[in-house]
Amino acid sequence: MVPTSPCDPARALGFPHIYVNIRNIAAHLHIAPIQAVFFLHARVSLQLASVNPCHDGAISIMMEVKHTTNPWGGHSYVSTEPEAIHPHLGANKSGCPSFRSSVRTSLLDVGILKSTLLPSLALHSGLAGIAYTAGRLTDRIEAKDIIWPLGPVVNAWWSSVFRHSFFAGPHGVSIGTAFGALSRPEKLILTGVTLWGGRLFYRILSRAMKRGVGRDNPMYETMKKQHGFSWNRALYKIFLPEVLFQSIISLPFTAPFRLGYYSGAIMKGSYHALGQGVAVGLFTAGLVMECLADFQLEEFKHRRPENGHQAGEKICKGGVWGIVRHPNYLGDALVHMSFPLMLYASDMLAPIALFGPLANYLFLRYVGGDKTDEYSRTRRYSSSDVGKKIEFDRYRRERNSFWPDKSSLTNKWTWIVVGCGIAGAALERVVMGVV
């Protein structure tokens, strides 16, 4: 019988959920939990290699995982050289307990397509089917936009928490236990995508409700008036292509939870805290820019002549709209860039996750973002308000569409957004320090 102590995880060996043991190891080594292993149930064969007393009288255990089978797919293996898997595991740590734990998930066993893209494609295809049916019944292409921000949020929560909880059948644990097992970076990723999706969902839904029943987004109204438009073609040219884009965009907040912790790239040096701070700051700056763009645009619309105010500018060019013509898209791109940066600073970046912000940028620039928006506005203004078309053309000459130019350095709103990003990074550190 091996004696136990407060720092001895040997008592967890008889517990049906071996993830308790893995979490102790991760906490001691100051790394994230081993995502692909912490929910192994009693399917683990452990060999107690040695038991040695620590300097404080507690127990130090050298533990070796001989064989595991992950009920969610894939296998785990052991290595006689833990530092070959992760540099922290080979370091000489002081204190108690000390471990030789070297568990990793093989990407060849799980399969990148099987574990990341295929589940995402299935989820987003189902949501696209719902959006297409609702859109066709109401004659509103905008139905897909309402679903757009919900897909990544649902995907992220499913990948990280729900698939390990009561949806996992007899192997499931409570939602609280599943969420509590996530590391700080993983919780930040999950919180970030939820904030991003929640804000965008509210924005799109509120605009749709203001237009009333039967009135689509003006951009889509223009699209439906074009020669050759049909809902059958829209399914293949609009709805289904967005399924692929969303599945790829979701990779930064699904791959870390599905591929396992040791699939990630390692950041060398002691820059992890700085990298995480920059990621939080980048996310905060992007989200603030999106919120400011929404608020300032609504304030501008409220001051227009049709709402009882004096005639003036017909195009919103103040505030963050004076930085670029599409500050909402720029903010969205910054938000998505922050996720891979957070993963890299946490030694969790799988190379496949880099395709997420790239796909998001390509979509915003060349598929459903500023290119489509400005084409639609040019056609509408040319036929309905020539004065507005002239002002819009002048605005296009004065400001870049997506990336700021050097003139934005003199815009106070640029520095307000930057300041909010710095404040967000500092606040996160304070909050995590208190919690």
Side-chain angles (χ1 to χ4, degrees), residues 78 260 263 374 384:
V78 300
S263 63
E374 295 200 355
S384 62

Side-chain angles (χ1 to χ4, degrees), residues 6 11 39 58 85 90 115 151-152 177 192-193 211 229 278 292-293 297-298 317 330 361 382 391 418 420:
R11 56 187 174 182
F39 280 128
I85 299 176
S115 59
T177 301
V193 68
R211 278 192 289 269
F229 172 83
V278 173
L292 286 174
L297 183 60
E298 289 302 316
K317 297 180 288 186
L330 174 59
Y361 174 76
S382 297
E391 186 175 341
V418 171
C420 289

Side-chain angles (χ1 to χ4, degrees), residues 153-214:
V153 175
V154 173
N155 203 350
W157 277 91
W158 171 261
S159 300
S160 61
V161 175
F162 293 147
R163 71 190 183 106
H164 297 306
S165 62
F166 49 84
F167 294 104
H171 300 294
V173 296
S174 69
I175 293 178
T177 301
F179 182 78
L182 301 179
S183 65
R184 170 180 165 270
E186 290 168 335
K187 290 178 180 178
L188 286 175
I189 292 289
L190 196 56
T191 301
V193 68
T194 303
L195 290 175
W196 166 82
R199 183 214 68 84
L200 187 57
F201 174 73
Y202 171 78
R203 171 64 177 168
I204 296 174
L205 183 62
S206 60
R207 287 193 308 178
M209 294 178 65
K210 286 181 180 179
R211 278 192 289 269
V213 179

Side-chain angles (χ1 to χ4, degrees), residues 90-297:
N92 183 16
K93 298 287 182 177
S94 61
C96 180
S98 62
F99 302 93
R100 291 270 307 202
S101 173
S102 54
V103 187
R104 69 173 176 177
T105 297
S106 170
L107 298 184
L108 296 178
D109 284 338
V110 179
I112 293 177
L113 285 177
K114 179 181 178 182
S115 59
T116 57
L117 283 180
L118 292 184
S120 293
L121 284 170
L123 171 64
H124 292 295
S125 295
L127 293 176
I130 296 173
Y132 177 77
T133 302
R136 187 157 188 168
L137 291 175
T138 59
D139 194 34
R140 297 178 71 165
I141 301 178
E142 190 178 31
K144 73 177 182 62
D145 293 344
I146 297 176
I147 296 293
W148 175 275
L150 295 180
V153 175
V154 173
N155 203 350
W157 277 91
W158 171 261
S159 300
S160 61
V161 175
F162 293 147
R163 71 190 183 106
H164 297 306
S165 62
F166 49 84
F167 294 104
H171 300 294
V173 296
S174 69
I175 293 178
T177 301
F179 182 78
L182 301 179
S183 65
R184 170 180 165 270
E186 290 168 335
K187 290 178 180 178
L188 286 175
I189 292 289
L190 196 56
T191 301
V193 68
T194 303
L195 290 175
W196 166 82
R199 183 214 68 84
L200 187 57
F201 174 73
Y202 171 78
R203 171 64 177 168
I204 296 174
L205 183 62
S206 60
R207 287 193 308 178
M209 294 178 65
K210 286 181 180 179
R211 278 192 289 269
V213 179
R215 296 184 60 188
D216 209 343
N217 186 311
M219 178 175 65
Y220 298 135
E221 291 289 0
T222 302
M223 184 183 299
K224 288 186 291 186
K225 293 177 182 178
Q226 294 179 2
H227 176 72
F229 172 83
S230 71
W231 276 98
N232 290 337
R233 290 184 179 181
L235 175 63
Y236 298 101
K237 296 183 66 176
I238 301 175
F239 287 82
L240 291 183
E242 291 192 7
V243 169
L244 178 60
F245 270 100
Q246 278 214 312
S247 299
I248 299 175
I249 290 171
S250 299
L251 285 173
F253 25 88
T254 57
F257 304 111
R258 289 183 175 272
L259 294 183
Y261 180 80
Y262 290 112
S263 63
I266 306 301
M267 173 181 280
K268 296 182 179 180
S270 56
Y271 302 105
H272 293 78
L274 176 62
Q276 292 175 355
V278 173
V280 173
L282 191 64
F283 173 88
T284 305
L287 190 65
V288 167
M289 177 169 276
E290 289 185 282
C291 293
L292 286 174
D294 293 343
F295 175 77
Q296 291 170 352
L297 183 60

